[in-house]
């Protein structure tokens, strides 16, 4: 008997596994994409010379 | 444990620690799930009663377990936000909700596909399916409530209140659904104990899914911290520019 | 405690004078029940069998419609800010407003239910049980609903959101409300499920004001 011979209900088994694969890869790729987007936004702001609140307040206190 | 959570209260330190841990957790999850799938498809025997459809169990049960564990994590994080005002508590709660909802959906979907060959229909109002469906509605409510507010800090605290109300009501919902089910339906004959040859792959899959969940949760938390950082910097940027224009225009100051 | 009852009285007077909200809820209850036979067909046996379920679900939906007004108007005109600084704890304010909602919505809906039972060919013998379960169960509807009303007082799309949040919380009330009625026809009587329904209402009365007050405090800051 072959490994992938799953009997009369093979469709249901494959559908379940495919659904899990789709949802999990969807989640993972969204997480990676979202992370890249935030990093790009952060880098863009840093390149424009914007610094984080903590560092801004320590040098001039301008935004207090 | 208290000192660990205190250490993690600093987002920068959390980013460092989670950055080094994330590849290891993700790698371990991948290896364990791969081994689990090998056991499921190449080694484990078909169930004498259910045949090969028992293979759905290896993804259905871990999904259902994660659906509940994620809600527990949301509840603990909400408690941490409302009581201890831990700075990362809301990040953790916000990150866990969509992932938990996704696994709840998977538990329902695979359960329904398992039900068709077993019960002859895609959906039965089985006590467990019904409880998980209501859990799914609670997740949807949490996401909808958070998205309905503009102010993030208010949204975070309100969502935390709802999550804790859900924890208080969930046992009552579970109890009433069980009661309702025994009242209306004969037992589904689904209670047979799991044979060891099936239990070992199941435990390995559950472990792999759990690690996968934590890897995704850590990644989502990191993204959320970055998102808040970007937002704070944009606000600071605008405030800075307003300050500059105020300097050049003394009347406005 | 005096302030508590004054507040309950104020909310009842407001609800009675406005009148519209209660009339709308009763009208909605009536029309939902009247639509059911049109959807299900005029088979009287079927209707009388599912009548308790239809009545309970229609009651929950009708009560849901009026939940929004528990806190909304007082939030909009700033009265809640005054309550928050007053000596009466916000928990008791929330409890008073939920109690007023029960008195002005829960009880009228429960009293109307047997009249609508006639439309559904409900067995006359079950009328007392039906009304008893609704009178005992509707406090849970008002006090759990107060949580949802407090959570969504500031929200955009408040009404739909309220339904999504609150309806899952009503599951136990619905299940035991129905099971009392179906048990009353059986040999074992209504005892245990009636007591559980009461317990659910009591838990809601304890939990609802706490959670609602917490939600209001977050938004009034």
């Amino acid at each position: 008997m072959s490994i992938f011979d799953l009997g009369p209900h093979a469709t249901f088994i494959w559908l379940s596994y495919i659904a899990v694969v789709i949802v999990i890869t969807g989640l993972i790729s969204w997480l990676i994409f979202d992370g890249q987007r935030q990093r790009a936004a952060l880098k863009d702001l840093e390149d424009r010379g914007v610094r984080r609140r903590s560092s801004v307040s320590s040098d001039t206190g301008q935004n207090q | 444990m208290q000192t660990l959570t205190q250490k993690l209260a600093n987002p920068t330190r959390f980013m460092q620690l989670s950055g080094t841990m994330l590849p290891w957790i993700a790698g371990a999850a991948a290896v364990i799930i791969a081994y689990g799938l090998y056991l499921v498809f190449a080694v484990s025997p078909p169930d004498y009663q259910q045949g090969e459809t028992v293979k759905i169990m290896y993804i259905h049960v871990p999904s259902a377990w994660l659906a509940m564990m994620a809600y527990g994590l949301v509840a603990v994080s909400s408690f941490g936000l409302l009581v201890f005002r831990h700075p990362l508590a809301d990040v953790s709660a916000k990150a866990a909700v969509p992932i938990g909802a996704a696994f709840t959906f998977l538990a329902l979907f695979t359960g329904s596909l398992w039900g068709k060959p077993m019960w002859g229909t895609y959906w039965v109002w089985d006590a467990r399916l019904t409880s998980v469906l209501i859990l799914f509605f609670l997740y949807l409510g949490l996401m909808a409530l958070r998205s309905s507010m503009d102010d993030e800090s208010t949204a975070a605290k309100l969502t935390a209140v709802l999550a804790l109300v859900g924890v208080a009501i969930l046992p009552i919902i579970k109890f009433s659904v069980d009661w309702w089910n025994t009242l209306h339906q004969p037992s589904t004959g689904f209670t047979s104990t799991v044979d060891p040859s099936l239990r070992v792959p199941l435990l390995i899959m559950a472990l792999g899914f759990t690690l996968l969940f934590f890897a995704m949760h850590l990644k989502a938390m990191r993204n959320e911290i970055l998102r808040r950082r970007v937002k704070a910097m944009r606000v600071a940027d605008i405030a800075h520019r307003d300050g500059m224009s105020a300097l050049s225009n003394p009347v406005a100051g | 405690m005096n302030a508590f009852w004054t507040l309950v009285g104020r909310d009842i007077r407001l609800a009675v004078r406005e009148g519209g909200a209660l009339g709308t809820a009763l009208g909605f209850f009536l029309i939902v029940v009247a639509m059911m036979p049109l959807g299900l067909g005029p088979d009287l046996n079927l209707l009388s069998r599912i009548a308790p379920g239809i009545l309970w679900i229609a009651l929950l939906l009708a009560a849901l419609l009026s939940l929004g007004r528990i806190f909304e108007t007082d939030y909009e005109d700033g009265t809640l800010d005054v309550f928050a600084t007053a000596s009466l704890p916000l928990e008791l304010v929330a409890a008073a407003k939920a109690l007023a909602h029960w008195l002005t919505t829960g009880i009228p809906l429960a009293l109307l239910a047997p009249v609508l039972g006639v439309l559904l060919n409900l067995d006359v013998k079950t009328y007392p049980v039906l009304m008893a379960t609704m009178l005992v169960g509707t406090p849970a509807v008002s006090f759990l609903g107060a949580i949802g009303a407090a959570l969504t007082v500031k929200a955009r799309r408040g009404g739909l959101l309220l339904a999504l949040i609150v309806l899952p919380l009503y599951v136990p009330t619905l299940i035991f409300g129905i099971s009392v009625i179906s048990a009353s026809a059986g040999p074992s009587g209504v005892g245990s499920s009636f007591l559980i329904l009461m317990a659910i209402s009591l838990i809601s009365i304890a939990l609802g004001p706490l959670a609602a007050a917490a939600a209001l405090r977050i938004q009034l800051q």
Side-chain angles (χ1 to χ4, degrees):
Chain A
M1 191 168 136
S2 146
I3 293 175
F4 294 107
D5 179 14
L6 294 175
H9 300 301
T11 326
F12 297 103
I13 301 169
W14 284 123
L15 271 179
S16 312
Y17 277 84
I18 289 168
V20 171
V21 167
I22 288 175
V23 170
I24 288 176
T25 46
L27 266 177
I28 290 174
S29 40
W30 173 71
L31 286 170
I32 290 173
F33 168 75
D34 191 39
Q36 280 171 350
R37 206 176 45 177
Q38 302 309 330
R39 286 210 183 277
L42 202 63
K43 189 168 181 303
D44 178 52
L45 282 163
E46 274 164 359
D47 287 350
R48 294 212 324 254
V50 184
R51 269 168 294 178
R52 283 171 53 201
R53 219 171 10 192
S54 48
S55 50
V56 171
S57 60
S58 64
D59 57 30
T60 57
Q62 227 161 1
N63 65 337
Q64 294 302 297
Chain B
M1 196 61 208
Q2 188 58 31
T3 50
L4 180 65
T5 50
Q6 276 167 359
K7 264 186 202 159
L8 289 176
N10 181 339
T12 312
R13 204 174 292 150
F14 173 83
M15 287 300 275
Q16 284 165 355
L17 190 63
S18 62
T20 49
M21 277 166 66
L22 186 54
W24 293 99
I25 298 177
V31 169
I32 290 173
I33 290 177
Y35 179 57
L37 286 175
Y38 162 75
L39 287 184
V40 167
F41 281 99
V43 180
S44 82
D47 187 67
Y48 73 96
Q49 215 178 1
Q50 307 187 16
E52 295 284 1
T53 42
V54 77
K55 294 209 183 331
I56 298 178
M57 174 183 77
Y58 300 113
I59 46 176
H60 171 73
V61 173
S63 300
W65 146 244
L66 286 182
M68 289 183 285
M69 192 197 72
Y71 199 90
L73 185 62
V74 172
V76 170
S77 305
S78 302
F79 189 76
L81 171 69
L82 291 179
V83 177
F84 300 114
R85 294 171 199 284
H86 193 282
L88 284 183
D90 178 51
V91 173
S92 161
K94 188 180 177 185
V97 168
I99 306 175
F103 279 108
T104 315
F105 168 76
L106 283 179
L108 288 169
F109 192 85
T110 54
S112 152
L113 282 172
W114 196 6
K116 180 66 179 168
M118 287 300 101
W119 298 319
T121 165
Y122 286 107
W123 186 268
V124 292
W125 289 94
D126 168 73
R128 269 180 270 184
L129 275 167
T130 313
S131 309
V132 174
L133 182 65
I134 293 164
L135 180 66
F136 188 59
F137 293 149
L138 282 175
Y139 275 119
L140 291 184
L142 286 175
M143 289 196 278
L145 180 63
R146 188 185 287 275
S147 72
S148 74
M149 306 267 163
D150 291 321
D151 178 31
E152 276 193 42
S153 132
T154 310
K157 288 182 204 151
L158 287 180
T159 313
V161 170
L162 180 58
L164 292 182
V165 168
V167 165
I169 302 276
L170 266 176
I172 307 176
I173 293 179
K174 181 83 179 75
F175 164 73
S176 55
V177 169
D178 284 345
W179 169 289
W180 165 78
N181 193 250
T182 50
L183 200 70
H184 289 275
Q185 281 224 325
S187 169
T188 41
F190 213 37
T191 45
S192 55
T193 48
V194 181
D195 186 80
S197 63
L198 305 174
R199 202 191 299 139
V200 172
L202 178 61
L203 284 177
I204 287 171
M205 287 299 276
L207 178 66
F209 268 57
T210 310
L211 285 171
L212 176 67
F213 172 84
F214 279 115
M216 293 199 284
H217 183 237
L218 268 188
K219 178 66 179 160
M221 282 180 76
R222 289 168 62 79
N223 289 351
E224 182 61 25
I225 289 172
L226 289 179
R227 181 179 300 112
R228 288 179 187 194
R229 215 170 258 184
V230 167
K231 202 178 169 192
M233 281 169 70
R234 287 207 172 117
V235 171
D237 186 30
I238 291 164
H240 180 72
R241 269 188 252 153
D242 284 358
M244 295 299 266
S245 60
L247 282 180
S248 60
N249 179 13
V251 186
Chain C
M1 222 48 213
N2 215 352
F4 176 81
W5 292 112
T6 314
L7 190 55
V8 175
R10 166 190 173 271
D11 269 37
I12 292 175
R13 269 197 301 281
L14 278 176
V16 171
R17 273 187 209 151
E18 279 175 19
L22 175 60
T24 315
L26 291 175
F28 182 82
F29 192 25
L30 175 67
I31 199 155
V32 169
V33 171
M35 292 300 274
M36 288 293 170
L38 300 178
L40 297 167
D43 177 3
L44 288 181
N45 288 329
L46 173 72
L47 287 178
S48 68
R49 197 158 56 82
I50 61 177
I54 292 176
L55 289 172
W56 256 104
I57 290 170
L59 178 136
L60 290 181
L61 295 177
L64 196 65
L65 268 188
S66 55
L67 282 177
R69 87 184 140 87
I70 298 185
F71 298 113
E72 203 171 58
T73 45
D74 281 349
Y75 174 77
E76 278 164 2
D77 64 14
T79 317
L80 267 184
D81 292 290
V82 180
F83 287 151
T85 54
S87 59
L88 189 66
L90 207 50
E91 281 79 7
L92 283 180
V93 173
K97 295 181 86 58
L99 178 63
H101 179 266
W102 179 61
L103 292 170
T104 57
T105 311
I107 290 182
L109 287 173
L111 294 179
L112 184 63
V115 181
L116 300 181
V118 175
L119 290 178
L120 298 173
N121 192 32
L122 184 67
D123 188 359
V124 181
K125 274 183 291 182
T126 58
Y127 283 11
V129 186
L130 176 74
M131 279 176 74
T133 58
M134 286 187 166
L135 287 175
V136 168
T138 41
V141 174
S142 291
F143 280 82
L144 288 177
I147 302 176
L151 283 169
T152 57
V153 81
K154 226 175 159 180
R156 290 175 265 125
R157 314 183 292 276
L160 287 175
L161 182 61
L162 184 61
L164 184 59
I165 290 175
V166 165
L167 282 177
L169 304 182
Y170 285 165
V171 168
T173 315
L174 177 64
I175 286 176
F176 282 99
I178 304 289
S179 85
V180 173
I181 299 171
S182 44
S184 73
S188 55
V190 298
S192 57
S193 22
F194 197 74
L195 288 177
I196 295 170
L197 184 65
M198 272 174 142
I200 291 168
S201 274
L202 289 175
I203 292 170
S204 313
I205 291 171
L207 179 71
L210 285 179
L216 289 176
R217 262 194 209 104
I218 289 163
Q219 290 167 99
L220 290 172
Q221 271 164 9

